[in-house]
């Protein structure tokens, strides 16, 4: 038997002698005799046969399990689970309400590590358990270290102030506005006690923008990053914390360019890194401007996004069409873009070098081309913005290209594991985001599918003819494209449903139609344009790239017009974890153990299909301005035009189809009421200057509104208040003018206002959700709980309140408990 043809070992993989000896010893286990044991006492023949069969079955499965485990170890697949358990440890740390200190984590990791070393000669199960515990603890330690290293200051409350700082990055929007990333050096009028170090500010001025590296100042409205729109949804404050962004907002009017901005107090290394970052940001902006100026329209904006990852210039309808057609992944600099760019460069460079007479005989042109591709992908990652998917792709492709220098297999699961390991060590917070999870899920599934196809038993039986006709080559190209689209779509489906609560029903068709265009026209000519751009010869390649993108946009609009988007709603957490874990196991194992992953996926699907979808009866946004009553698939809100950012998330998460607008009753407006201030933070102060209202008239109006309200629909007086009667009999009042809060507390069961009140509860016992309390709790869901009355003769509805923010001690949520008057954090008030 020749080398590389051992039974159960894939060609090209050389396990060590110890593993092969152990594998051989297990495979040569003697057959179990079926001889009956001696009967020392009388036993039933049927019971004897049953016990023997059970014993044989147990021994058989134990031997098979041991044999499969040894084969996995022999192929080095234990390494593949290292990033899995590191990432799981990081996830656990981010979910904990309170975490142990760094010293405790270090001690635990040392204890588990030493225990694993001490048990190296003991049973494998115990040793493996210690190793897993050590990896989980290490993942928690990495997450704790990243969080402590950043120490991002997040703004505690909305404020209008004068901002002065340095522009570190900027990008244009689809409306021609500019969004600046500003390193804040000074605030005034008022001066903030806890100024964020970095903010993003939108300027609606279309005049000449302030350049990167230049000073900027202007009056701006700053707000903390928004939290989750509903409990369990994406927390944008968490993302902003780990991006170093402490506040978001917009300028009032046109910001001014200044030249005498004070330098921040930073070390030489920090200044050097800042200078490099600003230089790269200028390159990105110059490249993006050149591409958009040459191509124009949404096609030019998409072309720039494929190179620089700046997506804000793309029109919202086009982005929505791409999402519904399953082509939104094209916008991200993912493995597809990086592979197409590197592959095009590698093939093109190798072809050109082979045309030089005698060069291929003297030098390894394949390795020379790989070196050039390595430099190219490094330049690509510099101007791409450093998204997780782009970094993962860059690491994987770099490993693949380096493997060519040593004539090693380039596409393998080890490459995926190494890239995940590097990202988790540097930025463990990435494991919580959909970008990391979807990117690695798709790559893992594609690489595992390729490995199974490469190692299939029937491959050696097929004729090894090198002659491939053009039709066969085209058929193979489209077959590979179809298979890749199916595998990639299935592997990311659970993450799309879990994070975005929707699926593209015709995504496979959209990818099959659009991917040939992207592979032939878009990415190759985009790469050629980038290579020719320093010489000013990029116009015609960019035009070809733009035409391909126009075709892709047309395909996306056609597919999206079929209306194939499926809204999945929120998926139970345990079902999501089962399906995700099953997918990982099915891809990482190469033996029959992979079937265990399929069984876990099936269990997750069963849980998903059998879990009842329970919608809340009332949902309240964290700013207190949007309230909706939910009945089946209909939402009745207190706003005629709800803000799309929040309401669209409600629609997908709760599978809402209809919106019931409030009924307006302008004739019931109290005339002496003054329009409230524009900001919730100023409303309490402005209340002192407003004329008092007639309590009797206000009480009569709110009673009239509650009496006239149709159950399940709001009745509103614009800029004053809204009232509704819920299906459970609750009286709900939303208040915009702070002067009406006292009357609302007397007449309602639930009072919601965006005003930051000095008191926390209503004297009447009504549930009060003000701007102050909602800042601590985040978005709120209220469920009706049926309880028996005291005399057990009727049912009554009680309230179960679920909040989005439960753990205010964590660094990315601690800003919600800060009091600028005292300068202290008080997380305990959230639970009062």
């Amino acid at each position: 038997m020749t080398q590389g043809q051992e039974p159960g070992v894939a060609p090209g993989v050389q396990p060590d002698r110890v593993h092969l000896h152990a594998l051989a010893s297990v495979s040569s286990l003697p057959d179990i005799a079926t001889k009956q044991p001696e009967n020392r006492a009388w036993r039933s023949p049927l019971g004897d046969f049953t016990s023997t069969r059970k014993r044989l079955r147990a021994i058989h499965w134990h031997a098979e399990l041991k044999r499969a485990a040894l084969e996995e170890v022999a192929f080095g697949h234990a390494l593949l689970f290292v990033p899995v358990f590191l990432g799981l440890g990081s996830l656990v740390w981010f979910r904990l309400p309170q975490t142990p200190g760094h010293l405790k984590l270090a001690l635990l990791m040392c204890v588990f590590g030493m225990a694993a070393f001490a048990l190296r000669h003991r049973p494998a199960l115990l040793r493996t358990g210690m190793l897993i515990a050590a990896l989980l603890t290490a993942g928690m330690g990495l997450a704790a270290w990243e969080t402590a290293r950043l120490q991002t200051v997040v703004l505690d409350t909305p404020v209008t102030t004068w901002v002065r700082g340095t522009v570190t990055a900027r990008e244009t929007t689809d409306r021609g506005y500019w969004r600046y990333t500003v390193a804040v050096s000074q605030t005034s009028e008022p001066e903030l006690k806890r100024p964020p170090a970095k903010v993003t500010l939108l300027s609606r001025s279309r005049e000449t923008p302030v350049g990167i590296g230049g000073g900027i100042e202007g009056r701006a409205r700053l707000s903390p990053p928004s939290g989750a729109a509903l409990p369990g949804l994406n927390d944008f404050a968490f993302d902003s914390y780990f991006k170093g962004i402490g506040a978001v907002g917009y300028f009032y009017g046109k910001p001014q360019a200044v030249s005498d901005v004070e330098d921040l107090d930073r070390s030489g290394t920090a200044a050097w890194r800042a200078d490099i970052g600003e230089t790269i940001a200028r390159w990105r902006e110059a490249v993006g401007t050149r591409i958009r100026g040459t191509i124009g329209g949404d096609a030019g904006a998409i072309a720039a996004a494929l190179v620089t990852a700046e997506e804000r210039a793309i029109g919202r309808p086009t982005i929505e069409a791409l999402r519904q057609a399953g082509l939104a992944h094209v916008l991200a600099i993912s493995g597809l873009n990086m592979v197409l760019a590197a592959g095009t460069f590698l093939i093109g460079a190798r072809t050109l070098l082979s045309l030089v007479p005698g060069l291929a005989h003297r030098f390894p042109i394949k390795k020379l081309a790989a070196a050039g591709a390595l430099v190219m992908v490094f330049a690509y990652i510099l101007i791409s913005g450093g998204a997780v998917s782009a970094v993962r792709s860059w690491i994987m492709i770099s490993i693949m290209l380096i493997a060519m220098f040593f004539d090693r297999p380039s596409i393998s699961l080890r490459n995926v594991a190494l890239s995940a390991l590097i990202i988790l060590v540097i930025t463990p917070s990435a494991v919580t985001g959909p970008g990391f999870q979807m990117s690695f899920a798709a790559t893992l599934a594609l690489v595992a599918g390729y490995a199974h196809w490469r190692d299939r038993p029937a491959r050696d039986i097929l004729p090894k003819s090198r002659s491939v006709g053009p039709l066969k080559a085209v058929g193979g190209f489209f077959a590979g494209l179809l298979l890749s689209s199916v595998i990639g779509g299935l592997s990311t489906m659970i993450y799309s449903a879990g994070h975005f609560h929707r699926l593209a029903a015709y995504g496979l068709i959209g990818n099959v139609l659009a991917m040939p265009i992207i592979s032939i026209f878009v990415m190759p000519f985009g790469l050629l344009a980038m290579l020719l751009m320093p010489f000013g010869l990029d116009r015609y390649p960019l035009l070809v790239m733009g035409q391909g993108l126009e075709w892709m946009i047309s395909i996306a609009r056609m597919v999206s017009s079929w209306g194939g988007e499926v809204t999945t709603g929120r998926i139970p957490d345990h079902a999501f974890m089962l399906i995700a874990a099953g997918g990982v196991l099915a891809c990482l194992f190469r033996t029959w153990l992979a079937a265990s992953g399929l069984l876990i996926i099936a269990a997750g699907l069963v849980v998903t299909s059998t879990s009842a979808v329970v919608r809340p009866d009332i949902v309240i946004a964290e700013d207190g301005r949007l309230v909706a009553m939910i009945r089946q698939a209909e939402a009745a809100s207190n706003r005629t035009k709800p803000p799309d950012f929040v309401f669209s998330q409600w629609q997908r998460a709760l599978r809402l189809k209809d919106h019931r607008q409030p009924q307006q009753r302008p004739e019931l407006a109290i005339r002496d009421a003054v329009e409230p201030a524009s900001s919730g933070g100023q409303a309490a102060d402005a209340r002192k200057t407003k004329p008092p209202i007639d309590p009797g008239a206000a009480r009569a109006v709110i009673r009239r509104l509650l009496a006239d309200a149709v159950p399940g629909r709001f009745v509103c007086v614009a800029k004053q208040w809204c009232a509704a009667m819920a299906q459970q009999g609750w009286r709900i009042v939303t208040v915009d003018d702070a002067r009406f809060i006292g009357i609302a507390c007397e007449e309602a069961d639930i009072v919601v206002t965006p005003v930051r009140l000095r008191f926390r509860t209503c004297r009447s016992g009504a549930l009060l959700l003000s701007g102050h309390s909602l800042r601590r709790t985040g978005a709120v869901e209220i469920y009706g709980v049926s309880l028996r009355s005291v005399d057990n003769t009727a049912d009554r509805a009680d309230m179960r309140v679920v909040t989005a923010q439960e753990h205010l001690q964590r660094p990315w949520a601690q800003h919600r408990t800060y009091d600028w008057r005292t300068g202290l954090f008080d997380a305990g008030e959230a639970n009062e």
Side-chain angles (χ1 to χ4, degrees):
M1 186 176 294
T2 60
Q3 186 180 13
Q5 294 181 340
E6 293 85 0
V9 181
V13 181
Q14 302 297 327
D16 54 59
R17 294 182 178 180
V18 177
H19 292 147
L20 286 178
H21 177 71
L23 185 62
S25 64
V26 175
S27 60
S28 60
L29 285 174
D31 295 335
I32 306 299
T34 59
K35 184 173 69 174
Q36 298 286 344
E38 294 183 7
N39 288 327
R40 297 183 179 180
W42 184 87
R43 304 174 71 177
S44 169
L46 180 60
D48 217 16
F49 173 77
T50 304
S51 62
T52 303
R53 198 172 85 177
K54 289 181 178 178
R55 192 184 308 113
L56 289 174
R57 185 179 301 158
I59 296 174
H60 172 74
W61 280 106
H62 176 73
E64 289 295 329
L65 181 62
K66 188 175 181 180
R67 182 183 295 112
L70 286 173
E71 184 176 349
E72 297 288 350
V73 173
F75 279 89
H77 281 199
L79 172 66
L80 306 181
F81 287 89
V82 172
V84 174
F85 291 115
L86 279 179
L88 186 59
S90 298
L91 280 174
V92 170
W93 191 89
F94 287 122
R95 295 291 183 183
L96 291 177
Q98 291 182 345
T99 58
H102 297 79
L103 180 58
K104 293 181 180 179
L105 288 174
L107 289 176
L108 285 175
M109 189 168 57
C110 290
V111 169
F112 290 130
M114 290 187 295
F117 179 77
L119 296 173
R120 64 188 183 278
H121 299 304
R122 296 296 181 89
L125 184 61
L126 186 59
R127 182 178 68 253
T128 303
M130 291 296 103
L131 285 174
I132 292 175
L135 289 174
L136 291 174
T137 310
M140 297 175 65
L142 289 172
W145 176 62
E146 182 193 14
T147 305
R149 183 179 76 244
L150 290 176
Q151 295 182 346
T152 303
V153 176
V154 182
L155 187 67
D156 53 279
T157 185
V159 64
T160 300
T161 182
W162 191 269
V163 177
R164 188 183 183 94
T166 304
V167 177
T168 60
R170 66 178 186 180
E171 57 181 315
T172 186
T173 68
D174 57 328
R175 298 184 178 181
Y177 303 152
W178 286 92
R179 184 176 296 273
Y180 297 97
T181 301
V182 181
V184 179
S185 60
Q186 183 183 358
T187 60
S188 58
E189 302 177 11
E191 181 180 356
L192 303 183
K193 291 184 178 180
R194 295 178 62 252
K198 188 179 294 185
V199 300
T200 59
L201 294 171
L202 178 67
S203 172
R204 295 186 176 89
S205 175
R206 294 185 174 90
E207 300 181 14
T208 304
V210 179
I212 296 175
I216 191 172
E217 67 175 5
R219 194 154 191 83
R221 179 67 176 174
L222 297 179
S223 300
S226 62
L230 286 176
L233 301 192
N234 182 50
D235 187 354
F236 297 96
F238 178 89
D239 300 335
S240 296
Y241 179 90
F242 288 96
K243 291 179 181 177
I245 303 297
V248 296
Y250 54 88
F251 281 110
Y252 289 109
K254 182 180 182 299
Q256 303 297 320
V258 294
S259 57
D260 55 345
V261 177
E262 298 178 2
D263 293 334
L264 298 177
D265 185 16
R266 55 192 182 189
S267 62
T269 303
W272 177 71
R273 291 177 58 186
D275 292 340
I276 292 179
E278 291 176 2
T279 301
I280 295 175
R282 293 190 190 97
W283 291 351
R284 292 181 63 202
E285 184 186 23
V287 171
T289 303
R290 181 70 171 265
I291 295 174
R292 288 190 295 268
T294 303
I295 300 177
D298 284 339
I302 294 175
L306 292 176
V307 178
T308 65
E310 296 179 354
E311 302 179 11
R312 296 188 183 275
I314 308 173
R316 298 299 100 184
T318 300
I319 290 182
E320 192 62 27
L322 291 172
R323 287 174 178 168
Q324 294 182 10
L327 295 172
H329 64 89
V330 176
L331 301 178
I333 300 180
S334 58
L336 170 68
N337 305 22
M338 197 78 75
V339 165
L340 289 175
T344 301
F345 186 94
L346 187 67
I347 296 173
R350 189 175 180 183
T351 302
L352 291 176
L353 291 175
S354 65
L355 296 178
V356 179
L359 184 63
H361 298 286
R362 296 183 179 91
F363 301 98
I365 59 174
K366 179 181 178 180
K367 297 180 181 180
L368 292 177
L374 195 62
V375 175
M376 185 275 300
V377 295
F378 179 72
Y380 194 0
I381 194 64
L382 284 181
I383 63 173
S384 66
V388 172
S389 58
V391 172
R392 190 266 310 163
S393 304
W394 171 65
I395 295 173
M396 275 199 61
I397 293 174
S398 298
I399 295 174
M400 178 188 71
L401 295 172
I402 293 173
M404 291 184 180
F405 296 156
F406 303 96
D407 299 321
R408 301 293 298 173
S410 56
I411 302 178
S412 68
L413 291 173
R414 290 186 181 87
N415 292 353
V416 183
L418 287 174
S419 59
L421 190 60
I422 293 173
I423 292 177
L424 288 174
V425 169
I426 299 175
T427 56
S429 61
V431 73
T432 64
F436 179 94
Q437 296 174 10
M438 297 181 73
S439 177
F440 274 97
T443 305
L444 189 63
L446 289 171
V447 173
Y450 169 77
H452 283 290
W453 175 259
R454 180 191 58 195
D455 300 335
R456 66 191 186 280
R459 183 183 181 189
D460 298 332
I461 305 175
L462 298 176
K464 298 182 179 180
S465 174
R466 296 182 178 273
S467 59
V468 179
L471 293 179
K472 188 176 181 180
V474 173
F477 171 78
F478 282 99
L481 180 64
L482 178 62
L483 184 61
S484 300
S485 300
V486 171
I487 294 175
L490 291 177
S491 61
T492 59
M493 189 176 295
I494 180 60
Y495 301 98
S496 180
H499 290 286
F500 307 112
H501 313 110
R502 58 181 179 180
L503 299 172
Y506 302 116
L508 178 59
I509 298 176
N511 278 272
V512 170
L513 294 177
M515 290 313 298
I517 297 174
I518 298 171
S519 303
I520 297 173
F521 294 99
V522 176
M523 292 307 299
F525 282 92
L527 174 62
L528 181 60
M530 293 302 100
L531 295 176
L532 296 177
M533 186 173 289
F535 308 101
L537 304 175
D538 56 309
R539 175 176 175 79
Y540 292 104
L542 285 177
L543 292 178
V544 176
M545 181 186 185
Q547 183 59 57
L549 289 172
E550 291 287 357
W551 293 338
M552 185 195 73
I553 294 173
S554 300
I555 292 172
R557 289 172 177 168
M558 178 188 69
V559 175
S560 63
S561 66
W562 300 343
E565 183 177 80
V566 178
T567 302
T568 62
R570 285 186 289 195
I571 297 177
D573 292 340
H574 50 288
F576 178 87
M577 294 177 63
L578 283 173
I579 298 175
V584 171
L585 294 179
C587 293
L588 293 185
F589 285 130
R590 61 166 290 120
T591 62
W592 60 267
L593 293 176
S596 63
L598 299 179
L599 292 177
I600 296 175
I601 292 175
L605 294 175
V606 171
V607 171
T608 303
S609 60
T610 56
S611 298
V613 178
V614 180
R615 295 186 177 95
D617 296 299
I618 300 174
V619 289
I620 303 167
E622 71 171 359
D623 62 356
R625 299 184 183 278
L626 180 62
V627 181
M629 296 179 291
I630 309 299
R631 185 181 182 186
Q632 296 180 353
E634 181 186 72
S637 76
N638 63 330
R639 301 294 176 186
T640 303
K641 293 182 179 180
D644 183 68
F645 177 74
V646 174
F647 192 69
S648 61
Q649 296 183 69
W650 289 4
Q651 287 178 311
R652 293 192 298 270
L654 303 178
R655 300 183 66 182
L656 303 177
K657 297 180 180 179
D658 301 321
H659 173 232
R660 197 174 189 184
Q661 297 181 349
Q663 179 185 0
Q664 299 294 335
R665 297 293 298 273
E667 71 277 6
L668 297 179
I670 298 179
R671 301 303 175 185
D672 61 351
V674 179
E675 181 179 344
S678 59
S679 64
Q682 296 174 347
D685 296 333
R687 181 183 176 186
K688 301 177 181 179
T689 62
K690 292 181 179 180
I693 61 172
D694 183 357
R699 189 174 291 107
V701 168
I702 194 62
R703 289 178 179 176
R704 176 73 179 276
L705 290 174
L706 289 170
D708 294 347
V710 178
R713 185 180 183 183
F714 278 95
V715 179
C716 296
V717 177
K719 300 181 181 180
Q720 292 184 355
W721 50 9
C722 297
M725 185 71 69
Q727 297 293 332
Q728 294 78 12
W730 303 327
R731 296 165 298 174
I732 307 170
V733 176
T734 65
V735 181
D736 292 332
D737 192 328
R739 295 175 298 168
F740 296 92
I741 291 177
I743 304 300
C745 282
E746 295 175 3
E747 301 295 331
D749 300 311
I750 302 174
V751 179
V752 183
T753 178
V755 181
R756 297 178 65 89
L757 303 174
R758 297 184 182 274
F759 55 91
R760 303 173 190 170
T761 59
C762 291
R763 294 180 180 178
S764 63
L767 176 63
L768 176 61
L769 299 172
S770 65
H772 179 77
S773 63
L774 287 171
R775 184 66 194 141
R776 292 171 170 269
T777 63
V780 172
E781 294 179 350
I782 300 177
Y783 294 83
V785 181
S786 180
L787 298 175
R788 300 296 297 179
S789 61
V790 178
D791 55 3
N792 291 325
T793 58
D795 289 341
R796 63 184 180 88
D798 200 1
M799 301 179 193
R800 181 169 66 90
V801 179
V802 180
T803 62
Q805 297 293 333
E806 298 179 356
H807 313 309
L808 298 180
Q809 296 84 1
R810 307 312 300 271
W812 49 88
Q814 194 177 17
H815 65 278
R816 295 175 177 269
T817 67
Y818 181 77
D819 185 0
W820 62 269
R821 296 178 179 85
T822 62
L824 300 174
F825 294 93
D826 186 7
E829 292 185 9
N831 300 324
E832 293 182 2

